[in-house]
Each structure stands twice: as structure tokens, then as C-alpha cells.
Amino acid sequence: AVAFTLAAALNAGGYRYGVSDQAFYIPAVYHQLDPSLFPRDWAMLGAQGRFFLVDELFAALVRFSGVGLPWWFALAQLITYLALFAGGLRLGQAVLRSPIGLMAWMAALTLRHRIAKTGANTLEGYFHPRVLVFAIGLLAVADFLNGRRCRPLVVLMLAAALHPTTAALFVALLVVAIAVEHFRVPMIATLAVGGAVISGAAVASGVVDLRPMDPAWRDLVASKDYTFPTMWAAGTWATNLAAPLVLLVTAVLRQRAGTLGRRELGVLAGCAALLAGFLASLPLIAAGVPIAVQLQTSRVFWAIETLGTLYAIWWLVDRPAMAAPNGLLPRVVAAGLVVTAV
């Protein structure tokens, strides 16, 4: 855990306080402590805070402990790395069999990079609730693969208070996984009808506004290259669709090897559902519907790529054909990932 945390922190560029998205989170916390702060800027700074409990939570910690916010954010960053270590370890143990495979997988998790043309990095050099909730999501998937059903969903719903869209991503994945594990047509039909009814009610009540954004606002948000995935180049599509392809191929191979259980099949189906949801959102994003743009549905590739990496490592290091005592390729792959991480 110490080695993992150190490698992940250094690969994220060390640790910093008050940068990037924290320019919104930190003022929100201080506004909770003193509502007179930021009287002119609060309309902008507080826009996201309506959907998060991060500012209220940290404000309460500062208020009742007397310890400054920088210390709490640093502790939260450490907890994030430890949660990612625990989630990766549990998930790796559920899929992989060899210590070499597990070592390669954990080393891969420390390699920070951006998910191509999306608003998500695998690691951040500062505390971001999105990364913490993603780590909790990995723990939840591992919990499901180990036979739990209700507990991972409950944990994710609690984590939604920190970052609702990341938690929703894993909730959707696991709901599909549970439905596939039991494969009851009434359950799947109920989920589909329920989702359609809730979506329809949200639109009809005006909670979700489907009117497209005006040209001035569209031009402003388009300055972020992850806002409109409908404008991705062919290379970006190829990069992001590589992970689903890896999951498909390795699923077939694991099925032939007799190691693809019902729960794993459910998780892979959950990834397929996330991909389908992203593709279904593209017409709304192209039309400039604000909620579709704001949800940043392209972040589904963060979860899909992470699981794709796990199964790629299984294929390169852990599958039966690589299990020979003196197998060279598994050792080279594992050593290469460890050296790259270091």
C-alpha cells in the first residue's frame, strides 16, 4: 500500500492544494463556514455545490476540529490513494490468479493518464472527490464479484453525496450486472420501463430541460475539447473503443477457458450498457441539450478502460497458456509495468 501510494502520487506529479477544480471546491467550503464570503462570485462558484455535499462535509470537519482545510484535503487525498489500492487489490484478486498478474495490474493502476478527449484523468495530483468515488466504485464491483449485491449499491448511493455522476456510473453498471446474473426477464423489463418513466417524468415536469443551449453558450463550453464527443477524430474513437474490444475478446477467451463466471459476465454486460448509454446520448449532445452535455457521458470510458486494462493483463500474464512455471512473457510484462511506474 505504501509503495502503491508513493508511485501513484509521484506519477500524478506530487501533491498540490488549491489547483484546478479545487478553485471551485475550496471557496464553496469557506462559504459554508462564512456565508458573507464571495458575495459577487457565489452565483458561479456555488453552481456545482448544489449537487454535492463535499463543501458541507469539509466545512463541518474544519468547524468542529479546528484543523485547517489544507490538512483535511491532504488526508482525503491519502484516503483516496488507499481506497484505490484496496479497490484495485480486491478487484484483481477476483479476476486474476497469479501474484505476477496482480503485481502487473496494481502497477498499471499507478500510471496517470487522461482518458482520451474526456474530462477525466485516472489520477489527480490534488484531492478530487471524483477519484475517491471511482475508487469506491472499484471496491463495489469487487464486492459484487465476491457475491454481494445490496451492499455495493448502498455504498455507492452513499458515495453519490461526494460525486453523484461517478457514483451513478457504477450504480448503472452494477444494476445491469445483477440483472444479468439472475437473468429474469421481468426484472430487466421493469428496470427498462422504470428508467423510461423516470426520464419522461423528469422531462415533463421541467426538471430536465431539453431545449438546446444558445449559440453564445455553446461556443463558450466548446472551448473544452471534451465537451462535444460528437466532434472526436477517428483516432480518439479508435483509442476509446479499444477497451470495449479488449473486454469482448477476453470474455470469449475466458468463456473458452471455463473461467468466465455469471457475475463477471454481468459486469461485462454492465460495461456494454454504459457504452450503449454513451452512444444514445450523442444525438442530444450534438443538439446541444444542456443536461446531456453537462453529464459528460464520455466518462464511461474511464471505467471501461480500467476494466479493459485488468482483462488485458489477464490475457498477457495470467491466462492458462501463460501459467508455465518458467513463462517469460508474464514476467517481462509485469516487470515492464513496474519499471514504467517507478
Side-chain angles (χ1 to χ4, degrees), residues 2-313:
V2 172
F4 176 91
T5 298
L6 186 60
L10 293 176
N11 284 330
Y15 174 73
R16 297 176 296 284
Y17 172 77
V19 300
S20 193
D21 287 358
Q22 286 191 359
F24 291 87
Y25 293 133
I26 290 172
V29 175
Y30 284 126
H31 182 82
Q32 292 294 331
L33 293 168
D34 182 358
S36 69
L37 294 176
F38 313 109
R40 292 170 301 201
D41 301 324
W42 185 244
M44 179 187 70
L45 294 172
Q48 275 196 130
R50 294 176 297 160
F51 305 105
F52 296 82
L53 291 180
V54 174
D55 46 350
E56 291 90 345
L57 174 62
F58 279 96
L61 291 171
V62 171
R63 183 181 295 114
F64 292 111
S65 70
V67 177
L69 184 60
W71 290 101
W72 283 113
F73 268 32
L75 177 61
Q77 178 75 337
L78 178 61
I79 291 172
T80 297
Y81 284 134
L82 294 177
L84 190 62
F85 171 79
L89 187 66
R90 291 271 291 168
L91 188 56
Q93 288 171 335
V95 175
L96 305 170
R97 295 183 178 180
S98 69
I100 291 180
L102 194 59
M103 179 175 65
W105 157 241
M106 296 304 291
L109 274 183
T110 69
L111 300 176
R112 179 191 186 273
H113 62 280
R114 182 189 184 190
I115 309 303
K117 295 295 182 181
T118 72
N121 296 312
T122 55
L123 294 169
E124 300 289 2
Y126 57 94
F127 169 65
H128 197 305
R130 178 177 67 226
V131 184
L132 176 56
V133 174
F134 188 86
I136 294 171
L138 295 185
L139 276 167
V141 173
D143 211 20
F144 168 74
L145 289 175
N146 286 314
R148 300 279 187 172
R149 297 179 187 87
C150 294
R151 187 171 72 178
L153 290 175
V154 170
V155 169
L156 284 170
M157 288 178 182
L158 292 174
L162 298 176
H163 202 272
T165 52
T166 304
L169 185 155
F170 282 99
V171 168
L173 189 156
L174 286 180
V175 166
V176 172
I178 292 169
V180 169
E181 181 194 10
H182 296 281
F183 197 73
R184 294 175 182 156
V185 173
M187 179 191 296
I188 297 174
T190 300
L191 290 172
V193 172
V197 169
I198 293 172
S199 300
V203 172
S205 64
V207 173
V208 174
D209 189 351
L210 295 183
R211 291 175 297 176
M213 63 182 74
D214 59 65
W217 184 243
R218 184 186 179 103
D219 289 343
L220 176 65
V221 297
S223 62
K224 297 288 188 180
D225 63 357
Y226 56 78
T227 308
F228 292 101
T230 48
M231 300 175 67
W232 281 353
T236 303
W237 279 105
T239 300
N240 284 330
L241 291 178
L245 181 61
V246 167
L247 289 175
L248 177 62
V249 171
T250 53
V252 172
L253 294 174
R254 284 178 71 82
Q255 178 67 33
R256 290 177 178 174
T259 57
L260 184 67
R262 190 80 175 181
R263 295 191 193 102
E264 269 191 66
L265 182 61
V267 170
L268 296 174
C271 290
L274 292 180
L275 178 59
F278 165 72
L279 295 174
S281 73
L282 291 179
L284 296 176
I285 293 173
V289 174
I291 186 65
V293 176
Q294 186 181 12
L295 287 175
Q296 295 186 44
T297 55
S298 59
R299 286 182 179 173
V300 301
F301 288 105
W302 187 9
I304 294 171
E305 184 192 281
T306 301
L307 289 168
T309 301
L310 174 61
Y311 280 87
I313 286 173

